[in-house]
Amino acid sequence: VEEPSALAHCRSSGRLHSHKIRAPHMAAVFLAAAVLPSVQRAARRASTARLLAFTSDMKPQHLNSPNNPRLKLAKRLHARRQREKTGLILLEGQRLIADALDAGLSADFVLVSDEQLRDGALDRLLARVPAEIAASTTAPLFRDVSDTTTPAGVLALFQKPILTLPPSPSLVLVCDSISDPGNLGTLLRASAAAGVDGCLLMAGCADPWGPKALRAGMGAQFRVPMMQVDSWAGAAASLVEWGCAIRAADAGGTSAHYDCDWRDASALVVGSEAHGISREVLADPRVHSCSIPMAGDLESLNAAVAGAIVLHEAQRQRMTGAVPR
């Protein structure tokens, strides 16, 4: 009987000084000969993974021309028209990009400023995207592409996600001409925290996928389904179909927000700071206005603050089952 190759190797290397091998030792040698190939394959796979992964010693492809098509595309996405035309959105900063990846989105392109390449946290972020979609560029070129005054050093292009509203949402936010992107993003963030099922965006609202709204939303756009509606008539038709009681946050409201019963299907309409709730909304007999009691002689609150207060009262009632006064 021929010796196994592993045993022959041991004999030729001088590790076996006797031809007399006890049975347990022989079993161990045969086991090593059987296991060794799989161990070697695993080691090769691990080595390949390390080669593909980003490390502090490896750099993405470097882009050094302002005419590079990918840099020009990223800069064009500052405009709403280009975002709507391409279906792409621009995210800046490690946290927002990580939020998008955590939500299951896939990046199309990631750009890093040369100044950030030694950031360990950035290495971990880059390790989550395919190597071929990442690139670096000089600090001046990155500032030219970035939407912020003080760039975060990393940005990414994603396909705009499409989240579908549930068939029968029980808590809905209606944004009535919220034209300030910061306020809109903050309202979406408050909605995500309050468990809102969906948001209706009426005409005149800022683009929720614009850079400022995305920064204010802190990832809420990846969690709260949104639907554009052309008019109040369209929004009201959906709310009635869902069986929602409709309330508008208005300084002249007849009831305090905490006196309203938010436990059943409900919708909250929040208007812009400049114009408040639209006339057509207030004129609709299906809409009941509510206000937030305030001390002193303040006339109103910031639209996003007011919306957040009312939404979290709704959440409190729903979580505790508390009956309004």
Side-chain angles (χ1 to χ4, degrees):
V1 178
E2 293 183 2
E3 294 177 326
S5 58
L7 178 59
H9 173 71
C10 291
R11 192 183 304 286
S12 64
S13 63
R15 294 177 190 172
L16 295 179
H17 300 288
S18 172
H19 291 282
K20 297 179 180 180
I21 303 175
R22 295 180 181 178
H25 292 173
M26 179 64 78
V29 171
F30 274 103
L31 179 62
V35 171
L36 184 60
S38 63
V39 173
Q40 290 174 332
R41 286 195 297 270
R44 285 196 296 270
R45 286 196 296 269
S47 176
T48 302
R50 284 194 295 271
L51 288 172
L52 292 175
F54 281 100
T55 71
S56 57
D57 298 327
M58 300 175 66
K59 296 182 179 180
Q61 176 190 5
H62 194 266
L63 308 180
N64 53 20
S65 170
N67 294 320
N68 181 276
R70 288 187 287 180
L71 296 185
K72 293 172 72 174
L73 172 61
K75 189 172 181 178
R76 288 202 306 272
L77 293 178
H78 295 181
R80 180 173 188 168
R81 182 172 61 86
Q82 289 296 324
R83 293 192 295 271
E84 293 174 347
K85 179 181 178 180
T86 61
L88 294 171
I89 56 174
L90 176 68
L91 307 183
E92 291 199 49
Q94 293 187 36
R95 181 170 178 178
L96 191 55
I97 295 171
D99 273 345
L101 294 173
D102 291 341
L105 305 185
S106 299
D108 284 5
F109 173 55
V110 178
L111 182 67
V112 183
S113 171
D114 289 342
E115 296 175 337
Q116 298 295 317
L117 283 177
R118 295 185 179 276
D119 188 331
L122 182 61
D123 286 344
R124 291 189 291 275
L125 179 66
L126 290 177
R128 300 180 62 183
V129 302
E132 62 270 16
I133 70 166
S136 66
T137 192
T138 63
L141 279 179
F142 190 92
R143 284 194 295 271
D144 186 54
V145 173
S146 171
D147 178 70
T148 60
T149 305
T150 307
V154 59
L155 58 81
L157 274 57
F158 285 80
Q159 292 288 332
K160 185 190 300 182
I162 300 175
L163 304 181
T164 305
L165 274 77
S168 300
S170 66
L171 184 58
V172 179
L173 172 69
V174 181
C175 293
D176 180 7
S177 301
I178 303 293
S179 58
D180 181 87
N183 278 340
L184 181 58
T186 302
L187 277 168
L188 292 171
R189 186 177 180 182
S191 297
V196 168
D197 295 313
C199 178
L200 303 185
L201 304 176
M202 291 174 56
C205 281
D207 181 9
W209 301 107
K212 188 174 180 180
L214 284 165
R215 289 193 296 272
M218 293 296 290
Q221 285 90 332
F222 313 137
R223 298 170 174 83
V224 179
M226 294 175 284
M227 185 170 75
Q228 300 278 352
V229 289
D230 294 332
S231 64
W232 169 246
S238 294
L239 298 176
V240 169
E241 179 184 348
W242 297 329
C244 292
I246 308 171
R247 300 182 180 92
D250 182 62
T254 55
S255 304
H257 72 290
Y258 46 67
D259 287 335
C260 301
D261 191 342
W262 299 94
R263 293 172 298 170
D264 294 327
S266 303
L268 172 67
V269 184
V270 177
S272 70
E273 287 189 56
H275 306 292
I277 302 294
S278 300
R279 291 181 182 178
E280 58 181 336
V281 176
L282 292 177
D284 191 325
R286 296 166 296 188
V287 177
H288 302 277
S289 59
C290 64
S291 61
I292 301 170
M294 294 182 288
D297 57 357
L298 283 176
E299 292 184 1
S300 63
L301 293 171
N302 168 276
V305 171
I309 290 172
V310 179
L311 289 174
H312 279 79
E313 170 60 21
Q315 182 196 40
R316 184 192 70 82
Q317 292 185 18
R318 287 159 175 259
M319 291 180 67
T320 63
V323 179
R325 297 190 306 179

